Amino acid sequence: MRTVEIPASRPYRVLIGRGLLSQAGELIRAVSDAGTAVIVSGEHVYPLYGSELERALDRGGFRLLHWVHPSGEKHKNLETYGKLLNYLSENRIGRGDLLLSLGGGVTGDLTGFAAATYQRGMDYVQIPTTLLAMVDSSVGGKTAVNLPAGKNLAGCFHQPKTVLCDPNLLSTLPEREYRSGCAEVIKYAMLCSPSLFRQLQTASAWENPEQVIECCVAIKRDYVGQDEFDVGIRRYLNLGHSFGHAVEACSGYACSHGEAISVGMAMIARAAAEKGICTPDALDALLALLEKYKLPTETDIPLDQLQRAVLSDKKRKDEQIHLVVPETIGRCRIIPVPVEELRDWLRLGGAR
Ligand code: NAD
Ligand code: MG
């Protein structure tokens, strides 16, 4: 088992290892004296792993309840959140009990937000079941649901008690979801790890998924540890996201998050190369790596539409957009770009 300590205001451990699901009872009991554990899971994931988790939790001496939500980003909303809170109150769940997210980022964000707000806050544990959730969304304490006006507009910071990553759970993940997670892994490599980048270029990169996941979680730890509340250095983790979120939104979410981030990274690197900020070799290597993982690097969404979407992003500050721009493999910088120059960046990135 691998362990990454997250030095947040409330520190916790991310545990990574094959077969951890079956040890969940003991591992969670070590960080919680809750009487009841409520498993929150999606309609696809619960039938796959719910009973194994329940057997394990039983060994930890928890009284168990479960609540299953419909799958999909469109259900990460106030309605689902309200139903979950009502379920908790109807079942007399108290602040001393525990929520357990078993699922991808949708389940994790929803469970975390419910845990943060139910009776002014209770503990929760993350058991991520997608690659994206293992390397990204389960770590760092960002919780949220979407509003009709946009993604993650209602949310707060609330760190989990622990995170259990069992790569065996990825065996049932649909290919497209797996690739979506790979885009975030490539993001970490491009951002600050030439060695992870080189590893991903090899055929044997995923022989040991625990090691890849640990590497990504350790990178996220370094940013979250310095900037838990996302007011400074944590923004580097948005590499590919300024343009990527716009691609995702403009596609009407037909493009998965990872696919959109892939396009976003390719665009910002292309524009940076055109402006002499990113080396041509780094651009070529990034595009080749994204293509190796069958991730898209271009979009046919019109420039005007992308521009509007980037400008409506909640991360916009005054009349500037802060873009995370690659310089070479493993090194990026943040450049404040006046909104009137944004169009030029998008055009150089390949938008027409
Ligand atoms: P997801 O939770 O929707 O899961 C993707 C799909 O895979 C779903 O249909 C799910 O039912 C299915 N699935 C999950 N695990 C499975 C498994 N092991 N086997 C078979 N099917 C499985 O999507 P995601 O990509 O995990 O997460 C995306 C969400 O994460 C977005 O809402 C995004 O906003 C959020 N997010 C949050 C953070 C954060 O810091 N909190 C960071 C990144 C993303
Ligand atoms: Mg992302």
Side-chain angles (χ1 to χ4, degrees):
M1 182 171 73
R2 293 160 185 262
T3 304
V4 182
E5 309 246 359
I6 310 294
S9 49
R10 201 168 83 156
Y12 55 99
R13 292 192 171 125
V14 180
L15 308 179
I16 307 156
R18 288 189 182 277
L20 277 193
L21 187 66
S22 63
Q23 301 166 43
E26 298 87 327
L27 294 171
I28 296 172
R29 186 45 92 198
V31 296
S32 167
D33 55 9
T36 301
V38 183
I39 299 169
V40 178
S41 191
E43 64 188 334
H44 297 142
V45 173
Y46 184 75
L48 292 171
Y49 301 109
S51 56
E52 186 180 346
L53 177 59
E54 283 166 358
R55 277 196 302 279
L57 289 171
D58 200 42
R59 287 194 291 277
F62 293 97
R63 187 174 85 92
L64 292 176
L65 291 174
H66 69 267
W67 185 83
V68 175
H69 65 84
S71 302
E73 181 71 32
K74 71 172 189 287
H75 295 288
K76 196 180 100 174
N77 60 17
L78 289 174
E79 188 189 343
T80 312
Y81 165 73
K83 285 182 179 161
L84 173 52
L85 294 188
N86 284 329
Y87 176 84
L88 299 178
S89 66
E90 281 157 14
N91 286 280
R92 301 186 180 287
I93 295 304
R95 299 182 63 185
D97 293 319
L98 181 71
L99 298 191
L100 246 156
S101 165
L102 174 68
V106 164
T107 307
D109 281 12
L110 171 72
T111 308
F113 190 44
T117 49
Y118 181 71
Q119 295 191 1
R120 299 201 185 86
M122 64 185 292
D123 288 343
Y124 75 114
V125 165
Q126 294 267 18
I127 305 183
T129 64
T130 64
L131 180 58
L132 180 133
M134 292 185 190
V135 299
D136 189 0
S137 64
S138 67
V139 181
K142 282 191 184 177
T143 78
V145 296
N146 305 327
L147 297 182
K151 272 186 68 163
N152 300 327
L153 290 182
C156 63
F157 290 91
H158 186 53
Q159 302 292 343
K161 286 297 281 184
T162 190
V163 181
L164 306 184
C165 286
D166 181 346
N168 285 349
L169 276 47
L170 299 176
S171 64
T172 51
L173 193 65
E175 163 78 18
R176 195 169 169 217
E177 297 298 341
Y178 169 75
R179 280 193 271 116
S180 190
C182 288
E184 296 284 0
V185 174
I186 294 171
K187 176 196 80 176
Y188 286 119
M190 193 66 194
L191 188 58
C192 61
S193 180
S195 62
L196 177 60
F197 196 97
R198 277 193 300 276
Q199 182 182 344
L200 294 172
Q201 288 171 314
T202 65
S204 56
W206 290 90
E207 248 163 37
N208 189 350
E210 293 99 309
Q211 183 261 331
V212 178
I213 294 166
E214 180 188 24
C215 187
C216 295
V217 172
I219 292 171
K220 188 152 185 187
R221 169 203 60 204
D222 291 343
Y223 287 95
V224 170
Q226 293 176 71
D227 179 22
E228 180 174 354
F229 299 106
D230 201 11
V231 291
I233 197 170
R234 190 168 173 173
R235 285 183 305 190
Y236 275 96
L237 296 172
N238 286 328
L239 173 62
H241 284 58
S242 295
F243 295 172
H245 278 153
V247 170
E248 194 178 11
C250 293
S251 77
Y253 297 92
C255 208
S256 78
H257 179 72
E259 288 163 351
I261 292 324
S262 174
V263 174
M265 278 191 288
M267 287 180 71
I268 195 74
R270 247 184 239 118
E274 288 287 334
K275 286 178 180 284
I277 299 167
C278 179
T279 66
D281 288 355
L283 171 65
D284 290 347
L286 174 65
L287 295 177
L289 188 59
L290 294 171
E291 279 156 21
K292 172 172 149 54
Y293 283 87
K294 300 194 180 71
L295 287 160
T297 57
E298 288 173 2
T299 178
D300 50 19
I301 295 164
L303 178 54
D304 287 335
Q305 221 179 314
L306 282 176
Q307 186 181 0
R308 274 196 300 277
V310 176
L311 289 175
S312 69
D313 195 295
K314 68 177 182 298
K315 295 204 166 67
R316 172 181 172 186
K317 219 175 165 207
D318 305 326
E319 291 313 301
Q320 285 186 336
I321 303 262
H322 285 88
L323 295 177
V324 187
V325 180
E327 295 178 336
T328 184
I329 290 157
R331 199 173 72 228
C332 294
R333 74 164 104 132
I334 292 183
I335 300 185
V337 172
V339 291
E340 58 276 14
E341 287 175 26
L342 177 67
R343 195 178 174 81
D344 190 42
W345 280 85
L346 285 166
R347 196 179 47 77
L348 294 175
R352 292 288 164 265

